[in-house]
Every structure is written in C-alpha cells, then in structure tokens.
Amino acid sequence: MKLVIREYLASLKERDELDAVLPDLLTELGFTVYSRPARGTRQYGVDVAAVGPGQDGNRRVHLFSVKSGDLDRNEWNTASPQSLRPSLDEILDHYIASRIPPEYASLPIAICLTFGGAIDEQVRAEVTGYMTRNTTPKISFEEWNGDRLAQVILDGILREELLPAQQRSHLRKAVAMVEEPDIALDHFQKLLRAIADQPATTPAARLSQARLINICLWIMFVWAREADNVEAPYRASELALLEVWQLLKTDIARTSRSGEAASLVLNELAELHFTIWRALFEDKILPAAEIRHAISTAVESHAALDINLKLFDLVGRLALRGLWLVWQLSPASGPVVLTNDYLDTLPALVRDTTRATVNQIDRLIEAMMAIVSNNRALLSPIGDWQAIDIGLAFTLLACRPGAHGAIDQWADELAKHSMFAFKAHGRYPITSRSYWDLVDHPSERSDEYRTASTEGSILYPLLALWAAARGEQALFDEIAKFSEDGLAHCTFQTWLPDEDSEDNLYLNRDSHGAALAGIPVTKGTHDALDFILAEAKTNKHYDQLTAVKLGHWPIVLTACRAHRLPVPPQVWRDLLPHVTQPARGPVPPPDNSAPEPPDARPEDAR
C-alpha cells in the first residue's frame, strides 16, 4: 500500500494537486491549517501553513513550500522564481517577519521542504548545507518527501481503524484495474460503502470519512492518468461527490466552524471532479469535436450500439459540466437564462469574472453542438432513457439565448429520426436498459414486439415540451399525430421527486420519486408544456431536497445522470418562460432518405 501511495504522490502536480491534498493530511494528523493555497495573492514562498506537533512533540508553526515530483537541480535552484530555494529565501526574508498570525508568533518555526518524490543525490549536499546554515534556535528545517508523506497518509487518512485491510484491498484493486473501468468502479463502490457505512455520529468523524474518500479518489485518478485512461475515476468521482454530499449535508447546513469545514471538503471534491473532467474532455474529446465522425471512430467498436450509447453518455457529461458553470452564476434553485442584459446589471467588480465563465459556457455549448453535427448517431436515440442526457443538454442550451435555435434543430431531428425508425420497424427508442436487448433490437418486426418495447416514454414528451416552449407548433403537432397514430398504447411520462427522494436520491439505495404519467400532447395546443409546468409548480418535494435548499442544484442533476433518472421539470421553471419564441409557419416534411445532421452550432452564442 505504501508503494502505491508513494507512486501516487510522485505523480501529483505541484499546483492544485499536491498542495490541495496536503491540508487534508495535516488536518487528519491534528494540525490547525491557517493558510491554504491561493491564486492571485502573494504567498512569499509558503503554500500551506499550519500549527501542530513537531518531531519533538511540541507545538510549532509549520511552513510548507511544495514542489512536485523529485527535487532535482532545476527544481532546487534556477533563475526561475518557482524553484524551491528562492521560495525558502522568501520565507526567511519576508514571511516569518510579517505573515505569521500574532497568536502563533512566539512558537518555534519549522520550514518544510515538501515534494512527492525524493531529493536527487546531485543536490543533496546543497540542500543539506542550506538547511544547516539557516537553522537557528527558533527556525528549523524538515524534509517532507514522498516516503514521509506516504507514511503520513498511512498513519493519518488510511490508518487501520479508518481503512482496514479489506478496504485497502478494494483500493489497491481499483487502482490496479483502472484500464478496466467497470471492474475498477465496482471495487471503488465497495470501498465507498465500506467507508461511508461506518457509524459517524460527530461532524469531525464525518469530515474524516469525506477526506478519506477524497484521498482515495485522488490516488485512483493519478494512477489512471498515468495509464492514460481516466474513464474509471470520472465515473467514480460522480459517485464520490454524491456520497460526500449525503455524508455532509447536515453539517453544511450549519453556520458554524464544522459547517465551513464541511463546505470546504465538498468544494475540494467538486474541484477534483472537474479536474478529472478536464483530463477526459479537454485533452481527449473536445479537440476532436469539429472533425466529422472522429469521436464515433474513437469509440473503437464495430457495433453501432456501442457508439450510440457512448456518444449520448458523453453529451450528458458535457452538458452537466456546463451546468456546473451556470451554477456559479445562478446558485439559487435552478438555472436561468444568462442574457447580456443580465450580465450588464452585475457589479463591475464581478463582471469580468462572470463574462469569463459565460465564455466557458459558450465554448462548451459550441463544442457540444459540433459533436452533434459531426456524429450522426446523436440524431437517433436507441434507448428511450437517453432522454436523460438530451434533457441535460437542452437545459444547458436554454441558458444562453444564442443557443436556443440549436434546441429547435436538434429536437426536430431527434423526433423525425425516431418516428421514422418506429414506422419502418428500425432501431427506434425502446424502454429496455438491458445491453443484450439493445443489441438484439429489433428482435422481430411485428406490431406486438413494437408495442411491448414502447409501453412508456420520457423521450417524446420531452421533445414535445421543448417544442411547445420554443413555439415550434409544427413539430409539436407532428409528435401529437404520431402519438395518436402509432403510440396510443404508450404512456407519456416523466419523473418527479417525492417525500422519499431526500433519503434515496443521492445514493440510489431504494426506490423513490413519482411518475407523472398521462402527459397530454394534443395537436393545435401546447398542453404538454402547461401540464408539466403546472405539476412542477404544485409539487414541492423538489424544493425540499437539501441540495436545492442549500443552493447546490447541480448535485440533483449529477444524481439524475449517475442513477439514470429524468431531469425533474422543476429545474426548468425559470428557463421555459424565457425560451419562448413566436410560433413559426409549417416546416417541410422530413426527408426519410437519411437526412443530413443540422449545422446546429450556435455561432452567435459567443
């Protein structure tokens, strides 16, 4: 286990990785961390500062200057201010004299050279000489290398009473099998259950469990990054985020020091989730968004089903990341339309930061619609439940006025491809989630099989809802006619949280929620929109979810995506009234001879 952790530490980057993990390790060892890594402020060589027991057992101030990997000559002393020796000079010249809080000023000081690897023997003499020359009765130096940090993790976060041998086995197996994501995720889930199911009656105990989950996920991610396959840690990070929310939600609600600490741990885990997302999307997927069929080809499967399932899954992940960015600007009960007028009303102090976030959102929207345009499988869902990922994507598109037209084009293509496939006994959307049922679909071309495979639908009412909201009456009427002629047996429905959802939504431990069935789609009306919005207004269970009450609504969407639940319509309460456009005239009938995908990228979204 120590070797696994040692390799993990050596692979951590300096910024936002090793310096992000260190405060949790120190806290678990009983240190009081009073300064954490920050951007945009001068830190005078100190990345983390804490007060805790020294090697002699007495309290002292520990000033950590963090570097990544091994400490070689370049990392030790070059012209770059990022080298370790200039940072140590800054600590001696400036930090000690003016930055230590008054209540700790009388304590002895330990300057800690911190790095994930080891000291290169070529610079060992220089480092030792520097520490010897600058040691005084008040100031000492300590070497926190990879071996020591690994032992700190084992003695602190992963100590025997917190992570017994069986749980360590799950962690080792999750790490070893990162190139087999399903197997790695299975072991990580068992690890989560073993950690979180231990009785924790105090905020401190729950915080310790949350930090343990965070460190275990970091270990898994770094090993997966080295193997160039971060699929397993991405899926694990969603589950870890939901697990920690369930664990800490009562503490986050408190206006106390424990509530602040719980919020900090949750934020660290969310940042790790976004880091893993970037390693997957920004490094691998988004660069191929503009290339026709590039992402479809990268799935590396001869089965069209595998490509279809993976592409819709990627769209859901991409949309959810965009909605987390929207949340940064709209942390109330749900997303809102981010208009230019709204941005102009913001104080000048936050306007530039807000516009930078909006630019990120627009780039994700443009990439998402490029992926849709360049990969035709995203026009033909094969599982009715793929409406979950489509619903997340529509939600993100609705947040920017320049992307509203993309909703129209994509919804039109989805509806027409699905209806044509149904009429032709092709690969139309079915309710089964069994991979082998989907492989075999359609197993027979009969009305009986077709009826049995489409007993309910969340896809068609979703498309009808957004068609009505956008004033696309022609598309709405097409879906209504199709419903009357071909789907009279099918129950149009969606999902709503109920009184049991708070206890079961995040971890999906038991059935919960309620089906809103019998959604009407009647030609010449927009009754689906009225029906769903009326129910969303009267159903209060969504607003009672702690993630919504505490202003973390993307947690709900993360749970829906991870556990395959439709997006609750309450999420759209503040969106749908603002995405309506005047009804258009009739649109041409669909060309059933393999229509080309729309060029649906919202060019004016910038």
Side-chain angles (χ1 to χ4, degrees), residues 75-135:
E75 289 291 330
W76 167 242
N77 190 18
T78 63
S80 170
Q82 301 304 317
S83 296
L84 183 55
R85 179 166 177 168
S87 297
L88 299 179
D89 289 339
E90 280 196 290
I91 295 173
L92 292 169
D93 296 340
H94 301 287
Y95 192 94
I96 292 176
S98 60
R99 308 284 290 186
I100 295 178
E103 61 268 32
Y104 305 134
S106 62
L107 294 176
I109 297 167
I111 299 175
C112 304
L113 290 65
T114 310
F115 40 92
I119 294 182
D120 193 314
E121 287 304 316
Q122 293 182 355
V123 297
R124 166 65 72 179
E126 294 180 35
V127 174
T128 303
Y130 182 92
M131 293 192 294
T132 302
R133 287 193 306 273
N134 291 283
T135 298

Side-chain angles (χ1 to χ4, degrees), residues 475-494:
L475 175 58
F476 185 92
D477 289 348
E478 268 194 87
I479 296 172
K481 186 176 188 306
F482 175 65
S483 171
E484 182 180 354
D485 295 344
L487 292 179
H489 63 280
C490 179
T491 302
F492 282 6
Q493 58 191 309
T494 190

Side-chain angles (χ1 to χ4, degrees), residues 401-472:
H404 289 174
I407 300 175
D408 305 337
Q409 295 181 56
W410 193 14
D412 186 69
E413 293 290 344
L414 287 166
K416 290 176 179 176
H417 280 72
S418 298
M419 292 187 292
F420 175 74
F422 182 90
K423 294 171 185 175
H425 291 275
R427 294 175 71 84
Y428 49 87
I430 61 174
T431 57
S432 175
R433 299 190 185 189
S434 164
Y435 179 81
W436 299 111
D437 286 349
L438 294 169
V439 167
D440 202 32
H441 172 63
S443 60
E444 56 182 83
R445 299 178 181 273
S446 66
D447 291 340
E448 293 77 13
Y449 170 83
R450 196 166 56 178
T451 298
S453 300
T454 55
E455 292 179 333
S457 176
I458 60 173
L459 173 64
Y460 295 111
L462 175 77
L463 298 176
L465 168 73
W466 284 93
R470 290 287 299 141
E472 293 287 337

Side-chain angles (χ1 to χ4, degrees), residues 169-453:
S169 174
H170 288 312
L171 177 58
R172 282 196 297 269
K173 290 174 182 176
V175 167
M177 300 303 294
V178 289
E179 295 192 73
E180 297 291 338
D182 289 339
I183 300 173
L185 186 66
D186 180 62
H187 286 294
F188 193 83
Q189 284 181 291
K190 291 176 180 176
L191 177 65
L192 283 180
R193 291 272 51 80
I195 294 171
D197 285 349
Q198 296 177 29
T201 57
T202 65
R206 289 189 289 271
L207 276 173
S208 184
Q209 290 175 326
R211 292 189 184 108
L212 178 57
I213 291 171
N214 191 20
I215 293 294
C216 291
L217 181 60
W218 264 113
I219 293 172
M220 184 184 188
F221 166 53
V222 172
W223 277 77
R225 185 172 60 188
E226 289 296 304
D228 197 29
N229 189 339
V230 296
E231 172 68 14
Y234 177 86
R235 291 161 64 185
S237 69
E238 284 189 325
L239 299 179
L241 189 60
L242 295 170
E243 190 75 61
V244 168
W245 177 264
Q246 179 74 14
L247 195 64
L248 298 182
K249 61 186 180 180
T250 55
D251 299 318
I252 291 172
R254 296 192 176 104
T255 55
S256 63
R257 181 170 295 182
S258 63
E260 183 180 346
S263 297
L264 186 61
V265 171
L266 180 70
N267 181 68
E268 290 172 350
L269 191 58
E271 288 298 330
L272 175 54
H273 172 62
F274 303 149
T275 298
I276 299 171
W277 184 94
R278 286 191 292 271
L280 177 61
F281 277 82
E282 292 186 0
D283 296 348
K284 298 178 180 296
I285 295 171
L286 297 187
E290 299 281 353
I291 305 172
R292 194 160 185 82
H293 302 308
I295 297 177
S296 298
T297 304
V299 177
E300 294 186 348
S301 174
H302 296 294
L305 172 63
D306 294 336
I307 296 171
N308 184 286
L309 295 178
K310 178 55 69 176
L311 285 174
F312 276 100
D313 181 61
L314 290 179
V315 164
R317 297 182 187 188
L318 181 57
L320 188 55
R321 177 66 184 110
L323 290 168
W324 273 105
L325 291 171
V326 172
W327 168 75
Q328 293 181 19
L329 310 178
S330 172
S333 61
V336 298
V337 179
L338 302 172
T339 63
N340 290 331
D341 290 340
Y342 165 77
L343 299 177
D344 291 338
T345 63
L346 296 172
L349 188 63
V350 299
R351 196 174 299 156
D352 290 343
T353 303
T354 301
R355 289 194 181 280
T357 303
V358 170
N359 288 338
Q360 282 185 272
I361 295 168
D362 288 342
R363 283 193 294 272
L364 290 185
I365 287 174
E366 186 173 356
M368 182 169 69
M369 295 320 301
I371 291 172
V372 173
S373 295
N374 288 311
N375 297 273
R376 294 180 56 83
L378 286 167
L379 305 179
S380 303
I382 195 170
D384 186 84
W385 37 268
Q386 288 172 317
I388 298 165
D389 301 302
I390 296 168
L392 290 170
F394 282 2
T395 307
L396 177 60
L397 293 173
C399 292
R400 291 293 286 145
H404 289 174
I407 300 175
D408 305 337
Q409 295 181 56
W410 193 14
D412 186 69
E413 293 290 344
L414 287 166
K416 290 176 179 176
H417 280 72
S418 298
M419 292 187 292
F420 175 74
F422 182 90
K423 294 171 185 175
H425 291 275
R427 294 175 71 84
Y428 49 87
I430 61 174
T431 57
S432 175
R433 299 190 185 189
S434 164
Y435 179 81
W436 299 111
D437 286 349
L438 294 169
V439 167
D440 202 32
H441 172 63
S443 60
E444 56 182 83
R445 299 178 181 273
S446 66
D447 291 340
E448 293 77 13
Y449 170 83
R450 196 166 56 178
T451 298
S453 300

